[in-house]
Amino acid sequence: MKDCIFCKIVRNEIPSYTVYEDDVVKAFLDISQGTPGHTLVIPKKHIANIFEYDPQLAAEVFSRIPKIARAVKASNPDIKGMNILNNNGQVAYQSVFHSHFHLVPRYTTHDDFSMTFKDNSNKYTAEDLKQIQNSIVDHMGD
Ligand code: 5GP
Ligand code: ZN
């Protein structure tokens, strides 16, 4: 896509610190370096978000992530773990609308990345959960 910043990175029109690329994906350092080694993995084909993947592209992209994650982890003995994140839609904090996966190396539980899930379990009855479950299951063929 002509004006997409990540498509420009794929075409090398914008420089990047690329750590891996092949015919399907490109992996490069996120400019923000949320933690040192913060890397983005993107499909070379422009798709906006997770909802646009077909099974083949999903398999091709996901199959490359563990190898890239292992290399990032091995790059620094201080990396103890990694969060892998994929934001979809502005409401979910997506700011670049070319699908990408964040590999965020973790050094300590108090480094520069944090993520919390609020525990709302006491607000849902079994009936509520059953209703949510059924609604998702009903759309699984879409
Ligand atoms: P999002 O917020 O969409 O999940 O993540 C987009 C990411 O792209 C951000 O973490 C941001 O730092 C990164 N980013 C934006 N522009 C550029 C760029 O030109 N080069 C690189 N390497 N990363 C970028
Ligand atoms: Zn793009």
Side-chain angles (χ1 to χ4, degrees), residues 126-139:
E127 200 177 319
D128 294 331
L129 295 174
K130 193 79 201 160
Q131 204 176 352
I132 294 169
Q133 176 194 20
N134 288 339
S135 183
I136 295 171
V137 170
D138 285 349
H139 291 90

Side-chain angles (χ1 to χ4, degrees), residues 5-25:
I5 194 161
F6 285 178
C7 284
K8 288 181 180 174
I9 286 175
V10 167
R11 295 193 298 263
N12 294 314
E13 291 169 17
I14 293 178
S16 67
Y17 294 92
T18 293
V19 297
Y20 177 79
E21 78 178 310
D22 59 23
D23 52 330
V24 177
V25 302

Side-chain angles (χ1 to χ4, degrees), residues 116-135:
T116 52
F117 293 99
K118 195 170 168 195
D119 181 1
N120 290 318
S121 56
N122 62 351
K123 297 182 186 157
Y124 291 85
T125 63
E127 200 177 319
D128 294 331
L129 295 174
K130 193 79 201 160
Q131 204 176 352
I132 294 169
Q133 176 194 20
N134 288 339
S135 183

Side-chain angles (χ1 to χ4, degrees), residues 1 4-8 43-47 97-99:
M1 190 182 267
C4 169
I5 194 161
F6 285 178
C7 284
K8 288 181 180 174
K44 286 192 165 176
K45 175 186 158 90
H46 178 93
I47 55 166
F97 295 93
H98 178 134
S99 178

Side-chain angles (χ1 to χ4, degrees), residues 29-94:
L29 298 185
D30 189 298
I31 201 85
S32 71
Q33 288 296 283
T35 65
H38 180 180
T39 296
L40 298 174
V41 181
I42 69 171
K44 286 192 165 176
K45 175 186 158 90
H46 178 93
I47 55 166
N49 54 45
I50 196 73
F51 308 116
E52 295 187 357
Y53 279 80
D54 62 38
Q56 188 188 337
L57 185 62
E60 289 178 347
V61 172
F62 280 85
S63 68
R64 283 151 169 91
I65 288 180
K67 168 193 169 94
I68 300 166
R70 280 192 293 269
V72 172
K73 184 168 186 296
S75 71
N76 185 330
D78 294 333
I79 297 174
K80 307 296 183 208
M82 185 176 292
N83 290 96
I84 297 184
L85 305 162
N86 168 235
N87 300 330
N88 297 282
Q90 204 165 7
V91 71
Y93 309 129
Q94 186 176 8

